[in-house]
Structure formats: C-alpha cells, structure tokens
Amino acid sequence: MKLNHLLAIEGMTKQEIETIIETSKPFKNLFTRSVKKVPVLRGKTVVNLFFEPSTRTRTSFELAAKRLEADVINFVAATSSLSKGETVVDTAQTIESMSSDIIVMRHSQPGAASLLSKNVKSKIINAGDGMHEHPTQALLDFFTIKEKKGKIEGLNVVILGDILHSRVARSNIYGLLTLGANVTLCAPPTLLPKFEGLNVNIEYDLKKALKDADVINVLRIQKERMESSYLPSLREYNSIFGLTDDKMKYAKKDLLIMHPGPMNRDTEIGHNVADSANSVINEQVTNGIAVRMAVLYLMSGTEMKLETIKS
Ligand code: NCD
C-alpha cells in the first residue's frame, strides 16, 4: 500500500487502517536496538508546520522522521511571515520551494490540511486541524489497543470527556467503527455533539459506561477552546465524569486506560488512575513514534522492503 496524503480517518478502509497498524510493528521493534535508524527517508525533507502549540505530537513526528534519516525542519508559526499577513498556502508554497517532500501540519482551522494538499506538491499529513481530525493519534491508539488486547473488533471502547472539542475523539470514532469495535460516548450533554448516522452508544452515567468496557480513552477538558461555560465547575466535572479511584470499582480488572495527553490530572483523570497498572498512557507516546514512522514509510515511495527493516 502507498499512502498519498493522510488527512482524516473518516473514509479510510479497514484494510488501509490495518496495514498501517501492521507496518508499525517492525518500526517499534527497532526501538530496542542500539541503532534505531533506517535510511527510508535519506535525502528527503520533512517539514513540521505547526500553527498551534504542540510538544508531544511535534517531537514525535520529528523523532520519527529523524529515525528514518530525513532532513527535518521545524517551522514555528509565531516567528514566521504569517504574523506579517502571509496566508497558510503562501507559507507552504515558500517552504515547498525549498524542496520539501512531506509537510506535517497542525492548524486551528478544520480542513486546513485538506486545503493545503490541493495547493502544494508535497504530501500532507494532518497533525490536527481544529476540532476536526487527528489521524495519527487515532492510529497510535488503535496500535496500542491491538498490542494490548490482541484485537479491536468486538471490543467495548468508551470515549470519555470533552468530545465536542476533540479531534482525537472524531478520528477514534470513525476508525473504531470501521474496525468493528462497539463505541460508547460518555460526557455531559453540553460536551457531546450529535453524530448523525453513526452507530455509537451514548451513556451519561460513567459507572454504567464502565461496566462492560474493555478500553477507555479519556479526553482532556479543552479549556482553551471553550468560549462559553460548558461546565458548572471542574470540581463537579471531576466528581461525576472524572476517571477516579472510586469509579474504578465499577470497571473490569483488565480495563485499558488511555489518554492522548496532555493530561489535566485530577480533572478528567485521577492521579492514581493515570499511574495505575491499567494505564498505557506512556506507551501510547512510544507507540506514536512507531506509527508515524510507518505512515512516513508508506508515503515515502521507497523501494526498501519491510523485511529489510525487520531483519
Ligand atoms: C491532542 C490534540 O492536540 O488534539 N493532543 C495531542 O495530540 N497530543 C489532544 C489534546 O490536546 O487534548
């Protein structure tokens, strides 16, 4: 399989998603070697074009591209000509004139990555476009679930929290349904948009949602995107929707606990729960590098076979 752009999980086939998950495995195996690099992107240039603050996702893409031996440029929006009025497309075209091959873009506007893909020759990876999608985060979540549970089809997956503002939630919902999971959304009504035509369960009671859950993906309360008051108070949110020790009594012993980060400890997730044996939050970060390497590999058009990476 060759990937052209990676703009959204919506519209991807089961086979495409599964291929990316499978392709990530040999890249993860590299991490235990003393030399963690393979020359898949040698001579190619990857540009990280981030118009929103990010530490985790940007460094993950940077490391992934460097482990594939690409030249990597980090373009920080605040110091660019954008503050002088240049448009995103102009900026990207300027960058492309420096012969970039792949542009990884994060932007606050939904559809920004898609717009860019129509206006430049480089391949585009959407690293988060406003409240729309964050495909590589969802792919690393799927990889982590598959690694820990052996499968995704038939699992009960709960997505908890600020679903309204979450691109991670949207990408997860589309992908999990495509992969055959049972998806339950749990949030206060003010943070739960309608997903017309999608086969998701809605549960306002976290204790009930936890009963049969195999996996729970806890989302950050995105205070920076909240224009009006969605919640009476964070303390009240924590007592009703926070995944805290007292709620864990209602969960299965082997519940897998995930969070895309950054976490608001003791708001959406309890301190002990975040650090518990059920939590795979740090492993998600490690897996993110492998999954992004797989995506870059599938985009690179390289002749290098996966077998050579495995051996
Ligand atoms: C997420 C994002 O930026 O969409 N974080 C991430 O990619 N590490 C989730 C969030 O900001 O809460």
Side-chain angles (χ1 to χ4, degrees):
M1 182 179 89
K2 290 221 184 333
L3 267 181
N4 192 17
H5 303 290
L6 179 61
L7 304 174
I9 299 289
E10 185 179 18
M12 284 179 87
T13 64
K14 187 173 184 183
Q15 204 198 341
E16 285 169 333
I17 297 173
E18 283 174 347
T19 302
I20 297 173
I21 296 173
E22 285 307 307
T23 308
S24 306
K25 283 185 192 158
F27 289 105
K28 181 156 184 191
N29 292 341
L30 279 177
F31 298 176
T32 51
R33 293 203 207 152
S34 57
V35 178
K36 297 176 179 57
K37 289 195 174 196
V38 277
V40 167
L41 292 179
R42 188 175 284 170
K44 306 248 185 209
T45 304
V46 175
V47 179
N48 283 325
L49 185 55
F50 276 62
F51 297 104
E52 259 188 16
S54 163
T55 322
R56 205 173 290 244
T57 304
R58 193 193 52 71
T59 45
S60 180
F61 270 110
E62 181 173 352
L63 201 52
K66 284 183 170 165
R67 286 189 179 169
L68 298 175
E69 300 193 6
D71 293 319
V72 184
I73 295 169
N74 290 312
F75 184 94
V76 184
T79 59
S80 77
S81 303
L82 275 170
S83 49
K84 299 176 191 161
E86 193 177 58
T87 68
V88 173
V89 172
D90 287 338
T91 305
Q93 281 171 347
T94 307
I95 286 171
E96 202 171 47
S97 310
M98 301 169 193
S99 64
S100 62
D101 298 284
I102 297 174
I103 299 177
V104 180
M105 184 164 85
R106 171 168 288 193
H107 196 279
S108 58
Q109 216 52 45
S114 167
L115 174 77
L116 195 64
S117 71
K118 296 187 178 86
N119 287 281
V120 294
K121 286 190 221 67
S122 302
K123 302 197 171 202
I124 306 299
I125 300 177
N126 179 9
D129 59 335
M131 288 159 29
H132 177 227
E133 280 227 33
H134 189 353
T136 57
Q137 177 67 45
L139 291 165
L140 79 86
D141 292 342
F142 306 155
F143 178 89
T144 306
I145 297 172
K146 184 85 191 288
E147 184 176 61
K148 294 291 168 188
K149 296 284 184 188
K151 61 169 188 177
I152 293 179
E153 190 159 5
L155 290 183
N156 297 320
V157 182
V158 174
I159 300 177
L160 171 68
D162 188 355
I163 295 165
L164 177 67
H165 298 102
S166 177
R167 50 197 174 208
V168 176
R170 272 172 199 77
S171 292
N172 261 273
I173 291 167
Y174 293 127
L176 288 168
L177 291 176
T178 303
L179 295 170
N182 306 314
V183 179
T184 299
L185 308 180
C186 183
T190 48
L191 294 178
L192 192 52
K194 283 211 165 47
F195 288 96
E196 300 289 349
L198 289 187
N199 187 17
V200 290
N201 313 304
I202 306 292
E203 178 56 71
Y204 298 110
D205 184 342
L206 176 55
K207 291 168 191 160
K208 286 188 189 154
L210 279 171
K211 191 172 161 281
D212 296 313
D214 300 299
V215 179
I216 189 161
N217 202 341
V218 186
L219 303 171
R220 183 172 67 90
I221 290 290
Q222 301 204 16
K223 292 171 209 150
E224 77 279 15
R225 290 193 212 276
M226 292 190 186
E227 281 145 15
S228 56
S229 185
Y230 290 89
L231 301 167
S233 75
L234 293 178
R235 188 198 294 224
E236 185 175 322
Y237 181 83
N238 178 258
S239 75
I240 301 173
F241 289 101
L243 190 63
T244 47
D245 286 329
D246 56 314
K247 317 281 190 350
M248 287 301 289
K249 290 199 291 276
Y250 300 89
K252 289 200 215 171
K253 290 273 165 293
D254 61 349
L255 174 71
L256 197 69
I257 299 170
M258 305 172 76
H259 191 304
M263 279 186 276
N264 296 307
R265 280 178 188 255
D266 298 327
T267 299
E268 70 263 5
I269 191 163
H271 222 91
N272 295 335
V273 176
D275 296 333
S276 69
N278 297 50
S279 159
V280 287
I281 296 168
N282 291 329
E283 285 171 80
Q284 285 175 268
V285 178
T286 307
N287 292 341
I289 303 164
V291 169
R292 291 179 175 115
M293 287 172 83
V295 168
L296 290 166
Y297 166 84
L298 291 167
M299 271 188 178
S300 67
T302 180
E303 297 297 316
M304 192 185 270
K305 296 266 178 292
L306 268 189
E307 288 66 43
T308 37
I309 293 161
K310 282 182 194 151
S311 61

